[in-house]
Structures are given as structure tokens and as C-alpha cells.
Amino acid sequence: QVRVSLAGANHMRVSWISSSSNSPSSVQYGTSPGKYESSATGSKLNYGFLLYKSGTIHGAVLGPLENNTVYYYKCGGMGKEFSFKTPPANLPVTFAVVAGDIGQTGWTVTTLEHVQKSSYDVLLFAGDLSYADYYQPRWDSFGRLVEPSASSRPWMVTEGNHEIERIPLISSFRAYNTRWRMPYEESGSDSNLYYSFDVAGAHVLMLGSYADFGQRSPQYKWLQADLAKIDRKRTPWLIAVLHAPWYNSNEAHRNEGDDMMKAMEPLLQAAGTDLLFAGHVHAYERWDRMFQGKKDDCGIVHITIGDGGNREGLATKFLDPKPENSLFREASFGHGQFKLVNSTHAHWSWHRNDDDQAKIADELWIQSLSSTGCSLPSKKMR
């Protein structure tokens, strides 16, 4: 269950699980196969849930690392050698977007195979990972399923509703927070459920649909502070990722993101957010630039891509007639690729899985708002 994630500038976190509590939490690594000039030692922990007890969950932060470089590594000083590639320091950079609801089905396998064949630098994931719900062994099978991809490129995730573990009188994210630690502390957040990171020319917000988001909440206050620090000359692209979509013309999960949108859309709009990815609805839909329910040339492009391959199937019922500002929608499994070509232009493509082939079904060139004047200081939030 080996995986890697970004952990601050020029650092990468390696996470894995061992059956023995005596296994060291160390990673040996280097830039040549079998030659490990460096090592890092981290921490270990486990957790219990009802009758389940996890293996020992290890995490070690490697770095500082060189940009755009392949590193070879071993976990715990033994076993298989893995490799990962660090993202580039500058544009261009490519994101693979499996924005949500992937689960563990045959379609999941197809989606992951297509993702692995693409040349991407970082994967963005908007929640509903394992579909374990409260059945903990599914977290282990999911970790093994995604290891080929998650061990070779950084996976950056945020929580969905299926990460919530509900039993009478208790609701928690224990498994998710313990297994999938993200760089929340590095971004000044107090919770693993929301954080941000920089990569090449992008600042990426990973927001929590299932953490408190009201104007007095820690998440809202953190978002205000985080957006105020952004330097659009250094990171001309601003991307947001969350689980429950704010714009949705599918009959599934209608209006479930409305309260969060009401609270946070003005912040993201004022900061000049270019694009927002969401999951939750098991279909694909791309909206025009939107703000407060209307088309806005300085608004956010909204893309719902909750079609990774989950066991619940596709959400096939869309509203009829189609809203004018919903530009493309389709109930198919697939994934997306978002390539930031330079500081002004990026290319988005959605690849459906039909017939086990990753066919481009929708694509779009996007101009950054920072290059249009929409995110000038006069537009920023007060």
C-alpha cells in the first residue's frame, strides 16, 4: 500500500503499511536504481475500529529533492524497489484528474490503467476513495489496488462522504486521516480535511465539503488567510478541488453543495479562481464561467468528474432541458487531464472509458484569469 504525496516545497511524503510493528519507519532513496545515497526516518501509528485493527502505518518525508527528477526508493529497508518522479519547478505541468468516486470495480481498474498511460505530474482526487464506508478491510484492498499509480506520482486527495465512518453516536474520518495524511500543516491548516499546495505555476486549494465551512469556521478563516498569501506572478493559476459540486444539472445530489457555495464562492471569485473540480455526482459535466448562478466572464469554470468507477454505478438522469450554461455533460466513467501550458493558457480534456479505450470526449482551452485582469488587486477580497 505504498503511495507518495507532496509535503511542502521540494519534499515528498512516502506512506506505507507493514504487518509488523517492529518494521522501521525509514525510506532509503537515490537517483539511480539500487543506489540509495539518502535516507529519511518518519513515524508510525495504527488505529482500531470496532473489531478491526490496522497494520502499522508508516510515513516519512523525503527531501529536499530535485525538481523533475526520478527517485528510486525502498520502504523499511527491505522489499520491492519503487520509483517516483517529482513535479517540475516551472510550467508546463500536467494534472491527472480523477476527481472523485473511484471505488474498487472493473471500471476502476480501467480508469487507473488509462491514468498510468498518461504523462502526468500530479494526481488530484476529490474524495470517495475506497468506498470502504466503515468496513476497514476495503481500505487495505484499495491501497493495494492504487499502489502502481500512487507510488509513482504524488496523489493529492480530499475527503468525500464515503470517508465518513458512521456508527451510532459517532461520526469520524479516522481511517482517512490516519492513512491519507496530506500537507495540511505545511499550508497553515488545522485539519487534514482541507489544505493547499503549490506546484510549478499553480496554487491548488483542496477544500473540505464535510468540514465546517461557515464564515466563522476554521476552514473559512484558513481559506481567507491562504488566498491572501497568493502571489499570482509566481502561481498564475488558481485551482480548487472539493467533493460536492456547486453547479449540477444531474438529478443526483441536487443542491448538496449550495450551502458551501453560498459561504465560499465569493472568496474564490474575488481571488480569481480559474477552475473548480468536484466529484460526488457519478457523471461528467462542464459548466461555463459562473458566479452566483449566472455566467460571468470573471467567474470559475466548474467541472464535475465523479466518474472514476465506483460500485454504485453512473448517474444517468440529467435535468431536461439542459441549462444554458451547462456546456457538456455525459454519464460515462473516465478521467481528466489538465495541462498548464504556460502562465496564460491551459488545455483541459476529459477521457471516457467506453470500450476500454480512453477516448477524448470533451476538451477546452482555458485562459488564466490572472492574464485577463480579472484577478487584479481591485478584484481581491477585502
Side-chain angles (χ1 to χ4, degrees), residues 226-289:
D226 188 79
L227 293 174
K229 298 174 185 176
I230 297 174
D231 179 356
R232 296 303 287 268
K233 292 182 179 179
R234 190 171 66 86
T235 53
W237 291 93
L238 179 56
I239 303 166
V241 182
L242 49 82
H243 189 64
W246 293 356
Y247 290 88
N248 170 30
S249 73
N250 199 292
E251 291 187 8
H253 302 301
R254 295 283 300 154
N255 309 121
E256 291 184 19
D258 286 4
D259 289 343
M260 188 180 191
M261 178 172 67
K262 183 178 179 180
M264 291 187 164
E265 188 182 33
L267 290 182
L268 298 188
Q269 164 81 0
T273 303
D274 294 288
L275 193 144
L276 186 150
F277 293 113
H280 203 34
V281 177
H282 302 165
Y284 172 77
E285 183 170 20
R286 174 170 60 85
W287 287 74
D288 209 336
R289 291 196 177 277

